[in-house]
Amino acid sequence: MPQAESGIISLYGNSPRMKLLDYLMTFPKNEFTPPEIVKAVGMSRTTAFREISKLLDNEMILQTGNIGKSPTYTVNIKSPMIYSMQKLVSHRSKKNATSQIKNQTLQKYLKDQLDSIDKLYNRETMLKTELKLTRNMIKEIQV
């Protein structure tokens, strides 16, 4: 079964930077080392360091400390850009959920209507059969 695309990826694309940011935003209270990010996101170490550097420059992530010699990073939830991204993803998610609910409601309504039509068709068929039998009985009585 294919994995559902995150809101960040669906809105901003699946570039290495967005994949990295999406991962960090998924776990906003956690801190990750570059090797953990590389493994989780599936990118080369060189790409990870390049993207981390750009995200640090834009204050979208923070270096929070070190584990051994490896620095640790987390998403900067106070960043206006991160806040805007979260709001946009939230808005889009709500819009999609509302649309899905409307579609489900419409599908149920249509199903109910089709069921009613089927019942009416079956009733019509039964009445036609009864009418035919009644006519035959009347013909037999007249003969």
Side-chain angles (χ1 to χ4, degrees):
M1 179 178 216
Q3 186 177 357
E5 198 172 67
S6 76
I8 294 292
I9 300 298
S10 67
L11 281 171
Y12 297 102
N14 65 348
S15 68
R17 186 171 307 152
M18 288 301 111
K19 287 180 182 179
L20 192 153
L21 199 52
D22 178 54
Y23 180 68
L24 295 176
M25 288 175 75
T26 301
F27 306 100
K29 294 181 180 181
N30 295 13
E31 300 173 4
F32 299 96
T33 63
E36 292 170 327
I37 294 169
V38 165
K39 183 177 180 183
V41 178
M43 66 177 59
S44 73
R45 198 170 151 76
T46 304
T47 301
F49 276 107
R50 181 181 66 236
E51 298 305 333
I52 287 169
S53 175
K54 290 177 182 176
L55 291 169
L56 283 168
D57 290 345
N58 288 303
E59 298 179 354
M60 296 174 81
I61 66 171
L62 302 170
Q63 182 176 346
T64 54
N66 292 300
I67 295 179
K69 293 183 181 180
S70 289
T72 56
Y73 302 98
T74 191
V75 66
N76 181 3
I77 57 173
K78 293 180 181 177
S79 162
M81 286 186 278
I82 296 296
Y83 177 79
S84 295
M85 290 172 83
Q86 288 172 327
K87 288 299 258 184
L88 186 57
V89 168
S90 176
H91 173 73
R92 186 168 184 217
S93 295
K94 287 176 186 173
K95 188 175 175 182
N96 287 345
T98 301
S99 176
Q100 287 176 352
I101 289 169
K102 285 179 183 176
N103 285 340
Q104 289 172 351
T105 303
L106 180 60
Q107 286 175 355
K108 183 178 178 343
Y109 173 77
L110 291 174
K111 183 186 178 304
D112 291 346
Q113 291 300 313
L114 286 173
D115 288 346
S116 294
I117 290 169
D118 284 346
K119 287 176 185 175
L120 289 172
Y121 177 76
N122 291 338
R123 178 75 176 143
E124 179 187 24
T125 303
M126 185 182 75
L127 288 172
K128 284 181 180 178
T129 303
E130 286 180 7
L131 181 61
K132 189 176 178 181
L133 288 172
T134 304
R135 284 183 178 156
N136 287 339
M137 288 175 67
I138 291 173
K139 283 182 184 177
E140 287 179 12
I141 293 174
Q142 291 176 348
V143 176

